Structures are given as C-alpha cells and as structure tokens.
Amino acid sequence: MSTSPTFRDLPMRAPAIAANTAARAEAYRADIDGLRAVAVLAVVFFHAFPRAVPGGFIGVDVFFVISGFLITSILLRAQAEGRFSYRDFYARRVRRIFPALLLVLATVLAFGWWVLLDDEFRALGRQAGGGAFFVANLVFWREAGYFDAAAELKPLLHLWSLGIEEQFYILWPVLIALSWRRRWPLLRVLWLVAIASFAINVLGIHSHRGASFYSPLSRAWELAAGGIVACLQLRPGHAPPAGWRAHLLSLAGVALIAIGLATVRADKAFPGGWALLPVAGAACCIAAGGGGVLNRRLLSNRVLVWIGLLSYPLYLWHWPVLSFLRIVLPREPHELTGLAASVRVAALAASLLLAAATHGWLERRLRARAGGATVRWLGAGMVLVALAGCAVQAGLPARLDGPALQRMADAAADRDYHDGPTTGELGPFVTYRIGEGAHKVLLIGDSHVMQYAPRAAALAQRAPERMASSYFTVFLACPPIPGVFARQGIECGARRDEGLRMALEGPFETVLVGACWNCYFTETLGLPMGFDLREGEAAYPIERREGEARALAALEGLLAALVQRGKKVYLLLDNPGGSGFDPARMLEGSRLGSLRVSREVTAPQPLSQAALNDQLLRIAAASGAEAIDVTRRMCRGGRCDRTLPDGSPAFIDEQHLRPAFTRAHADWLDEVLLRGPPP
C-alpha cells in the first residue's frame, strides 16, 4: 500500500485531485486550442504586418500562460494518481517538441548554407546550437545591444520563447514534486514564484531591458500564472464556473487580450507591467472553462481550433520563411515591410502549408509511438543538429564564398567599438576612458561619438605620450541637447542632462559634442521613437520646423555655455548615411544563384543632410565652437565614400562607420585627442 501523500491528505496545504476532478482535467478543451490560435495568429501577423498589428507580439505571453496551465495540470494529475516519473514526463516532451523543431532547424541550416554569407552562416550556426540546446533566449540575450544585427536577419530569433518554455519544463516538475513530498502549500509556493518573478521583471525593465525580455527569471511569472489557474481548478470541491461567472471571465479575458493588442507597442517598456494585459487575459479565458460565452462561440470555432492544433509548427516555420525572404529578395533596409504585401501574404500561406504538413505527416505519427526507441532517435537527432551548429561556428564555410564576399563578411563582423577603452565611472554613469595624459577631453553624444573609440585606442598605442585622457560618455539614441526627450521607449533625459552638467562643470579642458544629427533632424535616418523639445508643459516635435528650430537653438546655447566656461569646444558634424551606404546594398545578383560585390565606391549624400550640415556650421560659428565637418573628408561633388581602399565596406549599416575605417582614416579627431607636436 502506497504511503506517499496525496493532495486529498493535505486539503489545507495543496489542491487535491479527486476522481471527478481528474476526469474533468483530462477532458479535451477546444477553447484552449482556439486560444492557441489567437496567440499564434497575433504573433504571425505582427511579424508579417507590424504596422497593422503592432501589439501582436503579446501572443507569446498568451502561449506562456497556456503552457503553465497545461504542464501544471499534467504534473498534478500524475502526482495524484501516483504515476509521476521524470522519465515519462520528459519522454512526452521530447515526442511533443522535437519532431517539428528538428525538421525546422535542419531545413534552416541547409537553406542558410545556400543563401548566406560566411559571417551570416556562422551566426545562424550559433542560433541553431542555441535552439537545439534550448538556450536560444540566453544566446540572443548575450547578443542584444544597440549594434546588434537587425532582428529580421536572424532566421531563428523566435526560438527565444521556446528556450524559456524548455527551461520551465526542466525546473517546474522538480518544484511540483518537491512541494508534494514536503507537503508545502503549493498554491502559496506558486504565488511566491509569480510575485518574485514579476518583481524582477518590473524592477529591471528600464535598467536591464534585455534581461527582462529574455531571462527566464523575469518571465516565470507568466507561466506560473497558468499554474495558479490549474491549482485553483483542481482544488477539492471546486466546480467549474458556470452561468454569469463563466461568461464574465470569458468576456474579461478576451477583452484584456484585445486591449493588449490595441495598446501595447514594441517601443514600450515590455514586458514590465504591460504584460499583465495578455497574461491576465489568457488566465481569465482558461479559468472561464469551455462554457464561457466567448470560449464557446469564438475560441471553440472549428477554424480557430484547427489553427490551434497547428500553432506549434506554424510558429516554428513562419519566422524563418519571412526572414529568409527579407534576406534573399530586394527590399528596403531593416524592415520586413520593405517586402511587397503580396509576398508577405504568400509567405504566411506557405508557412501554414508547411505547418499542416509537419503536423499531419510528422508530429502525429511520432507522438503516437510511445516506445523508448523513438525518444532516443529524436534525442540523437537533436544532438546532431546541435553539433552541426557548432561546426558552422567553428568555420564550416557557406556556399557563397570568394575574396570579395569574404571582405563583406569580415566587414559585417567588424562592429566592436568597445575593444580598447577602459570601463569606469564618471559621476553617476559608466564611461569609457582611453589615454593617461594630463589633458582631459570629454566626448559626449550618442553612438556616432562612440564609433570613434577605435581611433582613440589606435592613437593611444601609437603616441601614448601625446594622448589626452579621453572620456567617451555616450547615451545611445539620445541627442546631447538640453530639453530634448524621447517620447517613449528609451531613457533619454535625466542621465543625459547629468552628462551635460559634467561637461559644463567637470575638470575637462576640451569638450566634443557629437551625435547622429541626421537621425534626429532629417528624414533619411529617422528613429522610430520620436523626440520632442520640451519647454515647461509645451512639447515641440523636432521633426517639425518649429521644434527643429528650438532644438538647434538649445544646442547652440549649450555650445556657447561651454565656451563661456573657458573650454575648448568642438561640434562634431555627422558622417553621411542612408540606404546607399548600407553594406547590403553593395551586393548584386542573386543569393539563389551568383552573388557579387558592387565596384561602386561612393554613394550620393542626401540633400537634406548637406543642408543640415550648413546649419550646424553656422551654429558652431555663432557659439564660438570649432566645427569638425566629416563630410569635407568623406564627400566630393555630392558623393561620399562608402568603401575602404580595398573595396570592403566603410560602414556596418546605413549610418555607423566601421571600426576598421575610423581606426585607419578618421584623422579629423586627432587634433582633439593629441597634444604637443608630433615626434
């Protein structure tokens, strides 16, 4: 006779699962498959039509709640019936997850070998290895940063969410089993997990946004929310909600998800508190049961249920299809929306067909095979895919090869602006220091100032006795102009103003102010978050004439104030930029056939950038600052350099100069950083 405790033995400490409760839990709920369909369709349409469904990415959060509910229900039933085993649980997970994932990973690697450059193929190998080992979220977390490659160029980026779910599958059974054996109050344990995880998420969303997005610690509360619903539904004596209670939960759940789709945006602090909308909505829909009015009439719709059954392979297929189209076909830089709408519709149709074929011909057949051999073969296949990803990272070459294409690949990988500077603190924020000279120079701005750090590091090695102590204090995507604030999505204000105060009051003999002025004041390199010049309660958008004039006047006032403090002040004008400077535009031909590198070494300077340069030159002269006009060195006759002497790109994207270029050719900063006559 078994002496292991049951939840019936512990009615005050954990939810019991009586026979009728277990039977109810085993019953198939079509509305949950319908909810899966809502989640996957939201994500798929967001990726294909981000402007039409800008909040669609919250579908992933709905998936997390569903997974938490289903896995917790499975674990509790198994514990109550005395048949739980880790081996059986993970065998079921392998049969559920591995077949479609193996097929997608193998296909993506094979197609990537055909169409990607060497550096892109190596990055794909890293993504595939992360996906096979279920740590994709950690891989992308590590890569996340301002200079990271565009999301559209990562065919396996969507596997980050699968990584979080798999990490949940590893830890959650241990927590449930431990709570069962130790007779802990499971519901309270899950609430503690959810509250702690939510706190980590909210407290870190501004200072560590990448971690809040990718870390399982800040996402566990979403899965725990589903687990809490499962515990509540499986308590002894609990009856499913009926009548107006079920309808109210159903209506509230769908409404919260709809509000999330309508209001949440990618530039908001997400997940943060905003994730409460999809998480609470999904939890309400599940808690309503199959009898809730919208669960029964909407979520149990046959079409939605069918799509819900395909949701997992559809999720796996849709992003690689869209991403490879973005890579292979002519397009505008950095956006899937550069693809024709008809192409994106065709991509979604192809993804649905691939999902249906994967589900019907692969998943259903392998799930029906309960033998251990199937699990072993699937496990071996995943190990092989992981090894293939590692081999690619180690140097397995892509099909597209050759000296010119290799130079393109090397240029794409040349984006480390922080190799050389010493990290330290200047006042309340992190800064980067190069040089040990008595003369102190502060370079303040955004990434278009940081891109010159390799030049400073090279000068410090070449002439250390003449190198000033140079402090790079940068705020990415944040103009160094008093009173200019981003409307949403990034911190641009208090920290930047503290940096400007340090420029005015700090012990710096020389101050250089620079930025991607073309990003803020021209349409050629506009930033999506938008900026305002704020004066009291009034806000003036700087993309409009009045706001631009006020912002440029504020910049002139800052420069004049620095000059009045007796400092040598430089205004660093922007380098040229635009789609013509994007290295991707140097590729000609077809990735599906033959690919070659353009021999055109220049690109036209946009007229609006030339006009802005003239304005900035007048501002420098009026304030007493010295202007450093980069375009005078890079441009001639309205056309500007876009390559190095060997024909490789001088840019890493449409606006940032390569470290190799600034290190060897950006001598316009030498007068700022060096002191004394040359040896």
Side-chain angles (χ1 to χ4, degrees):
M1 183 174 180
S2 173
T3 59
S4 61
T6 68
F7 284 156
R8 183 176 294 281
D9 298 327
L10 308 169
M12 300 300 295
R13 302 184 66 79
I17 305 180
N20 62 331
T21 316
R24 184 171 68 244
E26 292 283 4
Y28 170 69
R29 284 183 54 178
D31 59 301
I32 290 183
D33 274 329
L35 188 60
R36 277 195 179 112
V38 171
V40 75
L41 290 175
V43 173
V44 165
F45 278 101
F46 165 70
H47 285 153
F49 302 96
R51 295 171 186 170
V53 193
F57 57 89
I58 68 171
V60 171
D61 305 88
V62 174
F63 272 128
F64 285 158
V65 178
I66 295 172
S67 293
F69 172 77
L70 294 175
I71 294 304
T72 305
S73 298
I74 290 170
L75 291 170
L76 292 180
R77 287 199 307 272
Q79 290 284 5
E81 296 168 7
R83 57 177 176 81
F84 172 76
S85 76
Y86 291 106
R87 180 177 180 179
D88 179 64
F89 175 80
Y90 291 119
R92 292 180 65 176
R93 292 299 91 203
V94 167
R95 288 195 296 270
R96 171 73 177 88
I97 293 170
F98 279 30
L101 181 60
L102 269 173
L103 177 62
V104 170
L105 287 175
T107 303
V108 167
L109 278 174
F111 193 71
W113 175 83
W114 183 258
V115 302
L116 297 181
L117 298 178
D118 187 60
D119 68 301
E120 297 169 335
F121 191 46
R122 286 198 302 270
L124 182 65
R126 185 166 57 252
Q127 298 169 31
F133 285 128
F134 300 108
V135 292
N137 56 317
L138 306 182
V139 170
F140 293 118
W141 178 6
R142 183 180 178 182
E143 292 180 353
Y146 187 79
F147 296 105
D148 189 18
E152 295 84 357
L153 304 181
K154 297 181 176 183
L156 295 174
L157 178 62
H158 63 320
L159 296 186
W160 72 267
S161 62
L162 191 60
I164 287 178
E165 287 205 32
E166 284 301 313
Q167 290 149 26
F168 168 79
Y169 295 154
I170 292 171
L171 298 177
W172 207 245
V174 177
L175 178 64
I176 298 292
L178 192 62
S179 299
W180 185 279
R181 295 191 186 108
R182 298 292 180 87
R183 304 194 176 200
W184 291 344
L186 182 60
L187 193 56
R188 294 180 190 176
V189 171
L190 299 191
W191 272 112
L192 285 174
V193 170
I195 292 170
S197 173
F198 183 74
I200 292 172
N201 158 47
V202 171
L203 293 175
I205 188 60
H206 293 292
S207 57
H208 300 89
R209 191 169 182 181
S212 292
F213 191 87
Y214 288 116
S215 172
L217 295 178
S218 55
R219 292 286 191 166
W221 69 277
E222 303 183 39
L223 295 130
I228 290 169
V229 174
C231 283
L232 290 172
Q233 289 197 348
L234 300 178
R235 288 181 301 173
H238 173 78
W244 66 268
R245 290 189 302 157
H247 300 329
L248 183 61
L249 283 170
S250 179
L251 290 168
V254 174
L256 286 169
I257 294 173
I259 292 170
L261 291 171
T263 60
V264 177
R265 297 291 182 270
D267 57 7
K268 294 185 183 295
F270 193 88
W274 288 102
L276 283 169
L277 288 169
V279 171
C284 286
C285 286
I286 295 170
V293 59
L294 292 182
N295 291 49
R296 185 176 69 251
R297 296 185 179 276
L298 175 64
L299 299 181
S300 296
N301 175 276
R302 289 184 178 180
V303 175
L304 281 184
V305 171
W306 178 71
I307 294 175
L309 292 171
L310 305 180
S311 60
Y312 176 59
L314 178 58
Y315 181 79
L316 291 180
W317 279 115
H318 85 281
W319 182 250
V321 171
L322 287 168
S323 180
F324 276 124
L325 283 173
R326 162 69 175 80
I327 292 168
V328 169
L329 297 181
R331 74 284 181 186
E332 291 302 312
H334 303 315
E335 287 193 0
L336 285 171
T337 48
L339 297 173
S342 58
V343 172
R344 284 174 275 153
V345 169
L348 297 190
S351 301
L352 187 60
L353 289 174
L354 287 168
T358 302
H359 178 70
W361 296 342
L362 183 65
E363 285 189 311
R364 292 178 62 183
R365 295 184 181 185
L366 290 181
R367 285 183 203 170
R369 297 183 179 181
T374 300
V375 174
R376 289 192 293 271
W377 279 109
L378 289 171
M382 194 62 73
V383 170
L384 287 176
V385 168
L387 292 176
C390 293
V392 169
Q393 294 176 66
L396 182 66
R399 178 185 65 92
L400 298 173
D401 203 358
L405 290 175
Q406 185 59 49
R407 287 195 295 270
M408 289 287 294
D410 293 341
D414 183 22
R415 53 180 65 223
D416 187 1
Y417 297 103
H418 302 91
D419 182 17
T422 300
T423 303
E425 293 183 358
L426 183 63
F429 39 76
V430 173
T431 189
Y432 302 93
R433 176 177 173 173
I434 301 174
E436 302 291 339
H439 190 83
K440 291 182 172 58
V441 177
L442 178 67
L443 302 96
I444 189 167
D446 57 17
S447 61
H448 283 226
V449 168
M450 194 65 209
Q451 67 183 352
Y452 291 105
R455 179 68 183 183
L459 293 176
Q461 288 186 344
R462 190 183 311 160
E465 71 285 352
R466 298 178 57 211
M467 184 68 187
S469 292
S470 304
Y471 296 84
F472 286 77
T473 301
V474 296
F475 308 96
L476 302 181
C478 184
I481 303 176
V484 175
F485 296 85
R487 294 184 194 124
Q488 55 189 0
I490 62 172
E491 293 184 31
C492 182
R495 294 180 71 251
R496 183 272 320 278
D497 289 346
E498 180 65 18
L500 295 180
R501 187 189 67 77
M502 292 288 296
L504 287 163
E505 302 176 5
F508 303 102
E509 295 89 347
T510 300
V511 176
L512 178 144
V513 179
C516 181
W517 309 115
N518 295 325
C519 296
Y520 307 119
F521 296 109
T522 76
E523 77 287 351
T524 55
L525 293 172
L527 295 171
M529 65 284 295
F531 294 84
D532 295 326
L533 186 283
R534 299 181 190 172
E535 295 178 353
E537 297 298 320
Y540 303 92
I542 67 173
E543 65 267 22
R544 298 178 183 173
R545 187 176 298 275
E546 182 179 6
E548 175 184 328
R550 289 175 180 269
L552 291 176
L555 174 61
E556 182 178 336
L558 169 67
L559 298 174
L562 289 167
V563 171
Q564 290 169 8
R565 296 292 179 101
K567 300 176 186 295
K568 176 62 177 177
V569 181
Y570 293 90
L571 177 63
L572 177 64
L573 275 58
D574 204 3
N575 55 266
S579 60
F581 298 90
D582 188 344
R585 291 302 183 92
M586 296 178 63
L587 295 173
E588 298 177 346
S590 171
R591 289 176 179 255
L592 299 175
S594 60
L595 199 64
R596 59 187 179 276
V597 177
S598 170
R599 295 184 179 180
E600 182 59 66
V601 298
T602 63
Q605 181 187 22
L607 295 178
S608 59
Q609 293 182 15
L612 176 62
N613 266 17
D614 292 339
Q615 285 184 280
L616 293 173
L617 289 170
R618 289 193 293 269
I619 287 172
S623 64
E626 182 174 336
I628 300 177
D629 188 354
V630 179
T631 60
R632 289 186 60 187
R633 304 294 189 91
M634 294 187 66
C635 306
R636 295 161 297 280
R639 297 189 67 86
C640 307
D641 297 331
R642 69 171 184 174
T643 69
L644 291 167
D646 65 357
S648 65
F651 290 72
I652 64 167
D653 53 29
E654 61 182 9
Q655 56 171 295
H656 293 100
L657 297 170
R658 279 181 64 190
F661 179 86
T662 59
R663 189 180 296 115
H665 300 286
D667 56 358
W668 48 83
L669 280 194
D670 293 6
E671 64 178 286
V672 181
L673 303 174
L674 297 179
R675 288 293 175 268

